[in-house]
Amino acid sequence: TVVYMSGATNVLSDDYYTITIDDGGTAKTLQGDANIAGNLNIKIGNELNLGSNIMTTTGTCDIDGVLNTGSGKCTANGNSDIDGTINIGTGTYDANGTFDATSGAVTFTDVGRLELAGTVTSFGTFTPSTGKVIYNGGAQNVLAENYSNLTFRGTGVKTASGNINVSNELVI
């Protein structure tokens, strides 16, 4: 486990088992692509900026602070537990496990993408802006939300869990 602390620290491009972003204050910034065989933990009061880099995790993404995708990509192959905030710029957050932001927030700040392959429980406080949400797994329940752009891919039936509003593009 590597714990990044103390101010505006650079997160090195490397292969990790677990990364924890802790100690509050200023944001940490990923300096290149990173592979995490275990978990990504962003503690309350902490922030991680991906920039234009790619971060892939095999374990849980436990985001209690803030993750900014920028133009980069975070691929979460385990579960995503979002009690903090994911800010999606022009980049992508690709959740291949379960996704639950019940106590958190998903905020699009530009035309980025949120890709969802597993069970989706909640987006928490959801700000769609001009972003695109893509349900790309098997049979999935689609959250009752106001979407800017919504796309269905993958196998299986997509079932609306309530009223769905799409202000721009709907792709089925």
Side-chain angles (χ1 to χ4, degrees):
T1 299
V2 175
V3 180
Y4 283 96
M5 301 174 70
S6 301
T9 306
N10 291 331
V11 176
L12 302 176
S13 173
D14 208 341
D15 293 329
Y16 297 89
Y17 181 72
T18 294
I19 290 181
T20 299
I21 306 298
D22 202 355
D23 200 29
T26 55
K28 286 33 171 193
T29 302
L30 187 61
Q31 297 300 301
D33 296 347
N35 296 303
I36 305 170
N39 302 329
L40 169 65
N41 303 301
I42 303 175
K43 301 292 188 176
I44 293 172
N46 293 276
E47 188 171 341
L48 176 61
N49 298 319
L50 297 184
S52 60
N53 302 299
I54 297 170
M55 177 177 278
T56 303
T57 63
T58 301
T60 297
C61 283
D62 185 9
I63 301 171
D64 295 329
V66 178
L67 174 68
N68 298 309
T69 68
S71 61
K73 181 175 184 177
C74 180
T75 300
N77 290 316
N79 297 331
S80 296
D81 179 19
I82 316 301
D83 294 321
T85 301
I86 297 177
N87 291 318
I88 303 172
T90 57
T92 300
Y93 188 90
D94 182 7
N96 293 314
T98 62
F99 185 91
D100 184 3
T102 300
S103 299
V106 175
T107 302
F108 283 95
T109 59
D110 209 322
V111 296
R113 297 161 41 132
L114 174 60
E115 299 181 10
L116 305 160
T119 300
V120 183
T121 303
S122 173
F123 293 148
T125 302
F126 183 58
T127 307
S129 184
T130 56
K132 180 183 286 190
V133 176
I134 301 169
Y135 288 84
N136 60 5
Q140 290 177 286
N141 289 325
V142 178
L143 296 181
E145 282 288 353
N146 294 313
Y147 297 88
S148 177
N149 299 287
L150 179 61
T151 298
F152 301 130
R153 291 189 185 143
T155 60
V157 174
K158 308 300 188 234
T159 304
S161 62
N163 292 332
I164 294 173
N165 297 303
V166 180
S167 61
N168 288 311
E169 181 180 65
L170 173 63
V171 177
I172 300 175

